[in-house]
Each structure stands twice: as structure tokens, then as C-alpha cells.
Amino acid sequence: MTQNVLRLGAFFYATGHHIAGWRHPSSEADGGVDLGRYVGWAQKAEAAKFDLIFLEDGTGIRDTNLRSSERTARSTHFEPVTLLSALAAVTSRIGLVATTSTSFNEPYNVARRFASLDLLSGGRAGWNLVTSATDAEAANFGNDRIAQHADRYERAQEFVDVVLGLWNTWDDGAVVIDRASGQFSKPDGFRPLNHRGTHFEVRGPLNISRSPQGQPVLVQAGSSGPGKDLAARTAEIVFTANQTLAEAVEFYGDLKGRMAGFGRAPDDLKVMPGLFPVVGRTESEARAKFEELQALIDPVVGLALLERMIGGFDLSGYDPDGPVPELPESNGAKSRQQLMFDLARREGLTLRQLYLRIAGARGHSQIVGTPAQIVDEMEARFRAGGADGFNIMPATLPGGLDDFIELVLPELRRRGLFRQDYEGRTLRAHLGSRPAPGFGRGAAGRG
């Protein structure tokens, strides 16, 4: 796989990424629970040669302080591995990445679920590893509060080692199915794991064999110190949020610089920050599209979004047109909280201005402009060593996705920054990556 082109993910977020996108006529407001809608979006992304579809997830309704109509618009959606299993049957090349938390699952179930998706799809599955970060999620599993940040990552470190170990309890070619000799599999082709650790005891082996890409691609979304260490050791894709070019280059260099300590090459991990584009044929057209979405934001909804982004603190007692208050460090998503504070301080934003600023991208890069303007910024980050690609976050679905495919992709291809066609059949082949040492057992470079 050529290394000098961008990788692109299509990040499907139910009705679109803008907080008020479900109210806009370019969205399909029932899309979160309509398989036919997802089939259409997935097939469009595959026809456009995106590397992957990316689905987020949570184990509870997050915006619990919103009125019920707003909560439902943002929170009713399919469990992602179930959905991607259905989409595997109607696509053939695009990667399928689902989010599953290590906080409220068991390693054996997660390993089996993603290995099944990997075989169902012919080697196109990826697992986006996250730790849950809200008390609302904890309450669905018999806990009043989420575990401490350090404890969540300690569990995640062992969790991922168990999952990777289970995926490799089977060798490539272990299943032979030789009817003449009566041999179904090689006697030494699979083995127990026999893991005994602080959090888990798992015997193994996994009861499903390997796929054409060997094992699912591991994706990681954390940007804290422990998150970067985990990604440098195990991940093949990192999904992150950076506001400025300088921040992106610093994050990229820090993360890739950690990889040598784990015996890995920098190209084995692709950094793909989120990108929220609003594109028009002219800049004024793009601005008009964006302002139309912004006008649909209910102030209660905007403030509630900001409360979640900064760690669940109640902001109702503060002047919305006053400065962002000094708040203690959150036990939730620490890196995202810090990103919010840095953005507010750097641009001198009030609470209202800050929630309006993040209503679409939620802290990720936001570009409103022409195809050339959007590609200029994408190329600048790519050339400067701040990204290997982007996870595209359409404001609405399918409208925002259609705009990106119709207007931005031709400009990317004109500059030689994106593929004309797929070169391989697996997600790992699209990425040109390899699993971390010790976790690959014959899978590297295949597809």
C-alpha cells in the first residue's frame, strides 16, 4: 500500500454530528434505528473508496439533563457490532470499525464478537477500544459512579492483552478440513491462553479461528498519557481531536515517538483525527449552510453538550455570556476536558460561544469552506506530520456525506492525496499496517 496518501474514515453518528443536525432537512432523522439508511450510507462510502466506517458507542444515555425529545434524537441507535455484522453482508471492501468499552464487558466476549465480525466480513473488522467515562453508564451496571481514570486504564491495559492473546490462540492455517484423512484442524494449531492477572482469569482458546487479515485491527481513541502509551504499544489507528496544526504535530510526534520503546515502526500506526467539514461551492455557500445549522441549536441543548464535554459539571448557575469558569480536573475524559478549556482560553470564548463552537465537531477540527479550502487544511496537516488521514464527521446524514463525496474527494484525488480504487480486500491492507509484535502470528502484511 502506498504510504503517501491519506486514509479516510466515514464516521456515522446516527443523524449526523451537528447537535441540531436531526432538525435539518438534509438529515434522515430516523437514521439511528433504520438499517436501510445505514446500508445506503455504507454503500456510498464504499463506492467512494473510504478506508473504513467508524461507529461510536456508549452503554447509557449520556445527555440525561436534556428534555426527552433531545435525548432520544442523540441516543437511540443500534449496538455497533450488531449493525456492522448486517453491513458486512451488503459491502465487500470497506473496513468496519465498532466501539466497545473495556469498562463493562469481558475480554472473551469482546474477542469472540470482533473475531466473528472479522470472519463474516472477510477480514474487514476493527475494534475501537475505549474506557467508559460517565456515571450514567456506570449506573446501568450496578455502580453509582464510574471508576477512577487510572483504574479504568489499568483494567484496559490487561483487557486488551487478553483479547489480543485470545485472537492468537489460533494460528493461520490451523483449520485444514481434510475429509480424506479425517483431520479438521492441526493438533498444534490452537492452544489455551491460560491468562491469570489482576482483573481477569481466562483459560481460552477462543472458539473461533482466524480471518483473512489474521485478527481485527485495533483502534484506540484516548489522548491522555496512559491512552497514548496504550496506543503506542497496541493500536494500528488512533482517533484523536486536535484544534491547531501545532497541537496536531506535537501529538503525532509524541505518540509515534513512543512506539520504538515497544518494538514498533511509526508507519504501523495511523493517526486519524476527527474532521467536521461543511463544504460549499463557494465560501459564502458553505457559511450559509453552517449558519443554518447553528440557528437550530437550542441553548439548553448546547449547554448540556458542553457540560458533558468538560466532565459532567453543572454550568446552569453561570452566566452563559460570561467566561468559562475555572473547574477542577474531571474523572471523565480528561484530554477532552483540557481541550475545551484550552480552546476557550485561546480564543477568549464565553460559555455560549464555546458550546456554539463545539456543536458540530465536539472538539475536533472544524472547517467551513470550499473544497480547495478544506483540502488545503487537510494537506497542510498531512504534509507537516500531524495526521496520516482523517475520520470524516458529516454534519448531517446523508447530506454532509454526499457533499464531501461530491465536492471534496475530487479535489483530494486531483492532488494525488487519495486513492482511486482499493488495492486490497482487508482493512489492514487498506492501512498498510501491521499488528504489534507478539500479537500478529502470521497476519502482518496480508490482505
Side-chain angles (χ1 to χ4, degrees), residues 41-381:
W41 305 338
Q43 290 177 338
K44 285 180 180 181
E46 183 169 69
K49 315 305 178 187
F50 276 78
D51 291 80
L52 58 94
I53 294 164
F54 183 94
L55 299 180
E56 65 89 42
D57 194 35
T59 53
I61 291 179
R62 295 165 180 167
D63 299 316
T64 54
N65 55 339
L66 297 184
R67 60 178 182 265
S68 61
S69 61
E70 293 287 350
R71 287 203 309 270
T72 302
R74 301 296 288 178
S75 299
T76 177
H77 57 84
F78 294 115
E79 189 282 318
V81 180
T82 307
L83 173 58
L84 291 180
S85 296
L87 296 182
V90 294
T91 57
S92 62
R93 303 294 281 277
I94 196 166
L96 306 169
V97 176
T99 300
T100 295
S101 172
T102 62
S103 300
F104 302 114
N105 283 286
E106 290 294 321
Y108 193 94
N109 291 339
V110 169
R112 187 184 187 208
R113 199 176 302 148
F114 279 93
S116 296
L117 176 61
D118 210 23
L119 273 173
L120 283 169
S121 64
R124 295 184 284 132
W127 169 33
N128 179 42
L129 179 162
V130 299
T131 63
S132 298
T134 68
D135 293 340
E137 293 174 277
N140 291 329
F141 296 89
N143 303 297
D144 293 331
R145 296 199 175 278
I146 200 75
Q148 291 298 306
H149 186 271
D151 295 336
R152 298 199 305 269
Y153 267 95
E154 180 187 281
R155 175 186 166 94
Q157 293 271 5
E158 185 178 344
F159 194 112
V160 71
D161 284 346
V162 176
V163 170
L164 291 167
L166 285 167
W167 284 340
N168 288 287
T169 53
W170 286 79
D171 292 339
D172 289 336
V175 178
V176 294
I177 312 181
D178 187 338
R179 290 183 174 88
S181 69
Q183 184 182 47
F184 188 87
S185 61
K186 296 177 181 177
D188 60 350
F190 59 99
R191 66 204 61 80
L193 178 64
N194 291 326
H195 174 88
R196 289 181 176 271
T198 303
H199 299 278
F200 308 106
E201 293 187 9
V202 182
R203 187 180 68 177
L206 198 63
N207 61 347
I208 187 166
S209 55
R210 294 168 72 82
S211 81
Q213 70 172 355
Q215 66 191 45
V217 168
L218 189 64
V219 184
Q220 221 268 326
S223 297
S224 65
K228 285 189 278 191
D229 280 340
L230 182 61
R233 183 168 70 87
T234 64
E236 294 172 69
I237 299 174
V238 164
F239 175 46
T240 186
N242 305 122
Q243 281 288 313
T244 68
L245 177 60
E247 289 173 351
V249 171
E250 191 279 330
F251 176 87
Y252 186 98
D254 179 14
L255 180 58
K256 299 237 179 179
R258 297 176 189 229
M259 296 178 68
F262 300 107
R264 305 186 66 198
D267 283 343
D268 290 338
L269 187 154
K270 301 297 184 284
V271 177
M272 296 177 62
L275 175 63
F276 176 89
V278 179
V279 59
R281 289 173 175 80
T282 64
E283 187 174 353
S284 61
E285 180 186 320
R287 289 286 165 195
K289 285 183 179 181
F290 182 64
E291 292 306 324
E292 188 177 6
L293 284 165
Q294 294 291 88
L296 297 173
I297 300 171
D298 185 310
V300 174
V301 176
L303 192 64
L305 172 67
L306 181 56
E307 287 175 341
R308 178 158 66 84
M309 291 290 102
I310 64 169
F313 293 103
D314 183 2
L315 298 173
S316 60
Y318 295 94
D319 178 4
D321 294 310
V324 176
E326 298 288 342
L327 296 168
E329 185 178 63
S330 167
N331 184 43
K334 293 181 183 294
S335 59
R336 190 56 55 90
Q337 180 196 42
Q338 190 60 49
L339 188 150
M340 294 292 106
F341 292 156
D342 290 346
L343 174 61
R345 307 288 183 255
R346 185 172 59 249
E347 300 188 11
L349 303 177
T350 65
L351 281 172
R352 190 189 310 277
Q353 290 169 332
L354 182 56
Y355 76 62
L356 288 170
R357 181 78 160 72
I358 68 165
R362 300 189 306 283
H364 294 276
S365 293
Q366 175 176 288
I367 310 175
V368 180
T370 64
Q373 289 171 324
I374 289 171
V375 174
D376 282 347
E377 295 206 30
M378 295 173 73
E379 183 173 15
R381 189 166 294 196

Side-chain angles (χ1 to χ4, degrees), residues 356-432:
L356 288 170
R357 181 78 160 72
I358 68 165
R362 300 189 306 283
H364 294 276
S365 293
Q366 175 176 288
I367 310 175
V368 180
T370 64
Q373 289 171 324
I374 289 171
V375 174
D376 282 347
E377 295 206 30
M378 295 173 73
E379 183 173 15
R381 189 166 294 196
F382 179 54
R383 301 294 187 199
D388 297 304
F390 297 90
N391 216 0
I392 303 303
M393 305 165 60
T396 61
L397 282 170
L401 178 65
D402 291 341
D403 285 348
F404 188 87
I405 291 171
E406 179 186 353
L407 299 174
V408 179
L409 283 187
E411 180 63 16
L412 283 169
R413 288 187 169 118
R414 187 186 69 77
R415 301 189 196 187
L417 290 169
F418 191 60
R419 66 167 62 88
Q420 296 291 336
D421 203 352
Y422 293 114
E423 297 177 22
R425 304 199 69 86
T426 69
L427 175 53
R428 187 165 288 114
H430 301 340
L431 299 171

